[in-house]
Amino acid sequence: MAERMALTGLLDQLDGADSGDKIHLQDIIDNFASRGFGPLLVLPALIALLPTGAIPGVPTLCGLFIATVASQLVLGKRTPWLPRRLRERGFSHQRFHQAVARVRPWTQRFDRLLKPRLQALTSPLVRRLVAALAALLALSMIPLELLPFAAAIPALAIALLGLGLAADDGLLIVIGLAVVAFGAFAIWRWLLP
């Protein structure tokens, strides 16, 4: 990994992008495609996880974005792309800016924890398996948007998995998998009392 992955830096870079009143999904590709697929999974997951995720339609947009990008990683694509209708969608730059300002103290603390470890869990095969799981989780965000903040569980898992890929941090991948297991167990308990 050439440069150290920093969650705060990713959010600040997207927030500082000259995209006008609206941040389009294509802006995420334009700003982060050169850094690999990890940030392209992390940023939309965080957008769905932050207060911006409470805006109707945002979790669905983020889920479609993640599913599209993660599927391309599974297929071994080198550069991601979005269909025209998806790349033109977006959300309020001002609301994103406010959310980033609120979470910055937390992301700065989290950045200190990111480091390469358990790198056997960041091999090319594991990356594809993680991407396949991320695509499935992203698709689950679409119906979960109907329940207030329910899409936050798969969004959190995807953010952790994406950060693990971006930072070559296998421990984060393990934690992301634990969030998936916890979410699945909670849904199972809720459906079958």
Side-chain angles (χ1 to χ4, degrees):
M1 189 172 69
E3 67 180 89
R4 189 167 184 266
M5 175 67 182
L7 179 57
T8 306
L10 287 177
L11 291 171
D12 287 344
Q13 184 177 342
L14 184 59
D15 187 28
D18 185 20
S19 55
D21 293 339
K22 201 171 188 181
I23 296 175
H24 296 89
L25 294 180
Q26 184 63 39
D27 294 331
I28 297 172
I29 296 279
D30 293 343
N31 281 287
F32 300 103
S34 64
R35 296 180 77 172
F37 280 86
L40 298 177
L41 300 179
V42 172
L43 283 164
L46 287 175
I47 290 164
L49 194 57
L50 293 172
T52 50
I55 301 168
V58 168
T60 295
L61 280 177
C62 292
L64 290 171
F65 179 99
I66 295 165
T68 301
V69 169
S71 298
Q72 292 172 47
L73 177 57
V74 171
L75 296 172
K77 301 284 185 189
R78 298 250 183 242
T79 54
W81 63 271
L82 291 175
R84 183 182 55 78
R85 293 189 73 192
L86 190 55
R87 71 176 167 244
E88 293 173 351
R89 303 279 186 209
F91 48 90
S92 166
H93 195 154
Q94 181 60 30
R95 284 185 118 167
F96 182 72
H97 174 74
Q98 291 168 347
V100 168
R102 277 193 296 246
V103 300
R104 183 172 285 110
W106 298 100
T107 61
Q108 289 171 335
R109 289 183 191 117
F110 190 79
D111 285 341
R112 291 190 286 260
L113 302 175
L114 292 175
K115 60 183 171 185
R117 56 189 153 192
L118 298 177
Q119 290 182 305
L121 294 176
T122 61
S123 70
L125 174 62
V126 174
R127 286 178 178 277
R128 286 186 172 188
L129 292 173
V130 166
L133 177 60
L136 292 174
L137 290 169
L139 291 174
S140 77
M141 289 169 59
I142 297 168
L144 288 175
E145 182 177 356
L146 299 174
L147 302 170
F149 301 106
I153 294 172
L156 174 61
I158 293 167
L160 291 168
L161 294 170
L163 277 170
L165 292 179
D168 289 330
D169 191 340
L171 180 60
L172 277 182
I173 292 174
V174 170
I175 294 169
L177 293 173
V179 169
V180 172
F182 171 78
F185 177 75
I187 289 170
W188 178 72
R189 293 288 295 163
W190 181 65
L191 292 176
L192 302 170

